[in-house]
Amino acid sequence: MTKKYLIVFLIAALLFIPTAFADVIQPGEKAINFDYQLTNIKDYPDYVFILHGMPSPTMEILSSSEFSFYKFSTCSIYAIKKTDFNKINMSKMNDTEVETFLMNDSLVARSNLELEGQYGSVTIDNPLEGALVLLRINSIQGNNLEIQKTKIVYGYSDGKKTEKTFQSQNQTPEPPNSQNSLTNYIYYLVVPIIAAIILIYIIAKRKSNKQ
Amino acid sequence: MLIQSLIIPWILTIFIEFIIIWSFIRENPEKLFFYSLIINSFTLPLATLTYIYFFHNFLLMEIAVFLVEIFILKIILELSYEKAVLISLMANVISARVGVLIYSLF
């Protein structure tokens, strides 16, 4: 029996050793990633807009569709005139050449706006599911690309959405306090109460059978 | 989705703990599954609620569930304390570990 306990203890000790993952979130929490969308990209038909970030993506051509990227990346948007873009074969450049080109070349218009991949983490019972940041291109003048975060659209598990306007570019507006859903109420309250009643009933019935 | 974050871990825990209980008591699997369902429907939602809103310590929360389940298993399955401790330890360690692994992967 002692040997059996020792084996069980060793298994238990092994199983409780925390696993190290670089990007793991805490138990009981879920990660919410940012999605982005350039809302007025069609107003600039003469330009190609490129997303570049560290550690990824090296180069992604943007459209009017929503886009997202690796949660630990920080990205920026670059603009190049379509005529220039067609002359330069960026697909033949390696990662370093792409970065050097986007950072330094006079053909490229750069934005100071840095985009983060992850909004953060919330508790698993939070109905928040997504955060879409709407971006507006204000101007392209020479090497200066001016892009602004205008709104953030929070999406919830029931399909509802709420919209908040950016007051400052450095501060993401908080989502409104989410109401506890019916699922939470049933899970945290109704289920344990029913289980407790059944447990008490089983124990009481067993006691009465013994008497 | 809330179903993914609350209901799937609940169902998974019920199945894992049923397999552990059944590996110790190899009789009447339907009854053992029902007991696993009832025990985990009582402990898991309360433990999750406490962990998220009141006491954010995963290990201590698991130990609390382990202790509570010893008594429930002993009474409901009419086991010795030794066996109840063994089953509760194995069931909670393995279900907790699987839970953490699932969070890590998704």
Side-chain angles (χ1 to χ4, degrees):
Chain A
M1 196 68 182
T2 316
K3 197 179 171 186
K4 195 176 176 183
Y5 271 124
L6 186 67
I7 292 166
V8 170
F9 178 77
L10 284 173
I11 293 168
L14 264 176
L15 288 168
F16 266 123
I17 294 170
T19 314
F21 289 100
D23 54 356
V24 75
I25 55 162
Q26 291 290 312
E29 292 181 353
K30 62 179 177 183
I32 306 292
N33 294 334
F34 277 125
D35 289 302
Y36 294 92
Q37 188 173 27
L38 281 166
T39 52
N40 63 338
I41 195 168
K42 286 179 179 164
D43 296 344
Y44 295 85
D46 299 335
Y47 284 87
V48 174
F49 291 87
I50 292 169
L51 181 74
H52 168 77
M54 286 296 288
S56 65
T58 304
M59 188 187 94
E60 185 181 322
I61 295 172
L62 300 175
S63 66
S64 56
S65 306
E66 292 174 19
F67 62 93
S68 60
F69 44 89
Y70 177 54
K71 59 186 175 182
F72 290 131
S73 281
T74 302
C75 291
S76 295
I77 296 173
Y78 302 83
I80 307 169
K81 275 190 180 161
K82 245 178 200 164
T83 47
D84 294 331
F85 182 79
N86 291 335
K87 284 179 202 162
I88 310 151
N89 200 343
M90 281 189 80
S91 60
K92 284 193 176 167
M93 293 180 185
N94 63 32
D95 291 4
T96 318
E97 286 169 339
V98 169
E99 190 172 346
T100 309
F101 173 75
L102 291 173
M103 298 287 181
N104 304 310
D105 202 281
S106 59
L107 298 174
V108 182
R110 299 166 194 92
S111 156
N112 291 328
L113 188 68
E114 289 192 333
L115 308 176
E116 299 297 331
Q118 194 174 58
Y119 166 76
S121 61
V122 295
T123 57
I124 53 166
D125 59 356
N126 192 317
L128 186 65
E129 290 286 331
L132 168 67
V133 177
L134 303 180
L135 305 168
R136 192 179 66 221
I137 305 156
N138 286 338
S139 66
I140 305 173
Q141 287 177 336
N143 298 117
N144 187 30
L145 166 65
E146 201 191 316
I147 299 181
Q148 194 183 5
K149 293 176 187 170
T150 53
K151 286 177 182 172
I152 183 162
V153 183
Y154 290 106
Y156 298 91
S157 54
D158 59 1
K160 286 181 185 165
K161 290 179 191 298
T162 55
E163 209 175 82
K164 290 260 183 159
T165 305
F166 275 88
Q167 303 299 333
S168 152
Q169 291 298 292
N170 301 322
Q171 200 171 357
T172 305
E174 292 289 320
N177 285 335
S178 50
Q179 298 269 316
N180 279 338
S181 71
L182 182 66
T183 315
N184 287 9
Y185 174 75
I186 292 169
Y187 182 74
Y188 288 137
L189 200 67
V190 178
V191 169
I193 287 174
I194 292 171
I197 291 167
I198 295 170
L199 276 173
I200 291 165
Y201 172 76
I202 293 168
I203 294 163
K205 197 179 170 189
R206 195 160 289 164
K207 275 191 178 175
S208 71
N209 286 346
K210 279 183 181 173
Q211 282 167 1
Chain B
M1 284 176 73
L2 284 177
I3 286 176
Q4 197 178 330
S5 39
L6 293 179
I7 311 300
I8 290 176
W10 178 37
I11 292 167
L12 206 61
T13 308
I14 290 165
F15 272 98
I16 290 169
E17 296 208 3
F18 157 67
I19 291 164
I20 305 293
I21 297 169
W22 185 70
S23 68
F24 279 85
I25 308 159
R26 288 186 170 267
E27 57 185 45
N28 214 339
E30 297 87 1
K31 197 169 89 176
L32 295 180
F33 181 80
F34 177 70
Y35 287 160
S36 178
L37 169 74
I38 297 304
I39 293 168
N40 287 296
S41 299
F42 177 66
T43 55
L44 192 62
L46 293 179
T48 310
L49 179 74
T50 311
Y51 172 76
I52 289 176
Y53 293 104
F54 306 108
F55 189 65
H56 204 70
N57 186 316
F58 186 70
L59 185 60
L60 287 182
M61 209 60 248
E62 277 299 324
I63 291 169
V65 173
F66 157 66
L67 294 174
V68 170
E69 288 192 5
I70 290 173
F71 293 103
I72 299 176
L73 285 167
K74 187 201 164 347
I75 296 167
I76 210 166
L77 292 170
E78 297 175 307
L79 301 171
S80 66
Y81 265 115
E82 275 186 352
K83 208 164 187 179
V85 168
L86 266 176
I87 295 175
S88 183
L89 179 70
M90 292 304 290
N92 284 293
V93 165
I94 292 171
S95 60
R97 190 61 175 166
V98 170
V100 170
L101 277 173
I102 287 171
Y103 278 123
S104 309
L105 293 172
F106 301 103

